[in-house]
Amino acid sequence: MAVETLFEGATPLARRLLAEAPHRSDAAMIARAYQVLADLTEEEKVATVNAHPRIGDDPARLSRLSLAEQGADPRPELERLNAEYESRFGFRFVVFVNGRPKSEIAEVLRRRMENDRNQELETGLRAVVDIARARLGK
């Protein structure tokens, strides 16, 4: 699977991984992705997180992979929580859905609103790589 597909586009993280290609294996690329997160600038981190679609977004705006992971059931509650989250932190909420229902994801979003900005950005970035790892496993 193409790196850009795994990371929802030519994000700063994806571009760095592509610049280092080829990787010994998919597992080596994912391990390297976790390492590269620490080297990204603040602006690159936000751009990488913001490349992911909003949880519960309109299905027409989701990538094929995100639609398969999230389902096509938009929820007004998630729309409201996403707006609050983005207002508080300045970037999108990203979570590894892993088949969990949207009601559970809404609860995760509420809990994560209690984090500070740096902690939340790092959590979102790790989720970006977790999602890519899971996509490779399919």
Side-chain angles (χ1 to χ4, degrees):
M1 188 176 298
V3 172
E4 292 96 339
T5 302
L6 292 173
F7 294 97
E8 295 286 341
T11 66
L13 174 60
R15 287 194 307 269
R16 295 232 187 148
L17 293 171
L18 283 170
E20 296 177 1
H23 299 273
R24 291 186 322 275
S25 65
D26 288 344
M29 180 189 64
I30 292 298
R32 182 65 183 135
Y34 284 112
Q35 294 170 341
V36 168
L37 294 177
D39 297 332
L40 297 176
T41 66
E42 172 86 5
E43 183 178 315
E44 290 171 326
K45 289 177 179 183
V46 169
T48 296
V49 168
N50 281 345
H52 265 265
R54 288 174 183 90
I55 297 292
D57 205 352
D58 179 346
R61 291 195 291 248
L62 298 177
S63 70
R64 178 184 56 80
L65 291 173
S66 287
L67 181 59
E69 293 157 356
Q70 292 188 36
D73 158 35
R75 294 180 58 116
E77 176 189 28
L78 282 173
E79 187 176 319
R80 179 185 57 77
L81 289 169
N82 275 319
E84 288 176 23
Y85 181 96
E86 290 176 27
S87 176
R88 173 166 162 64
F89 295 114
F91 50 83
R92 288 187 181 166
F93 170 73
V94 178
V95 67
F96 181 31
V97 173
N98 196 23
R100 294 182 284 181
K102 290 185 178 165
S103 59
E104 185 178 328
I105 299 303
E107 184 54 39
V108 170
L109 201 160
R110 280 188 209 91
R111 280 194 314 266
R112 283 184 40 191
M113 289 280 284
E114 298 172 11
N115 291 341
D116 68 41
R117 187 177 189 280
N118 289 335
Q119 179 183 16
E120 193 51 32
L121 185 55
E122 296 305 316
T123 299
L125 287 164
R126 283 191 307 277
V128 165
V129 181
D130 292 345
I131 293 164
R133 184 183 68 224
R135 288 174 173 179
L136 280 171
K138 291 184 178 179

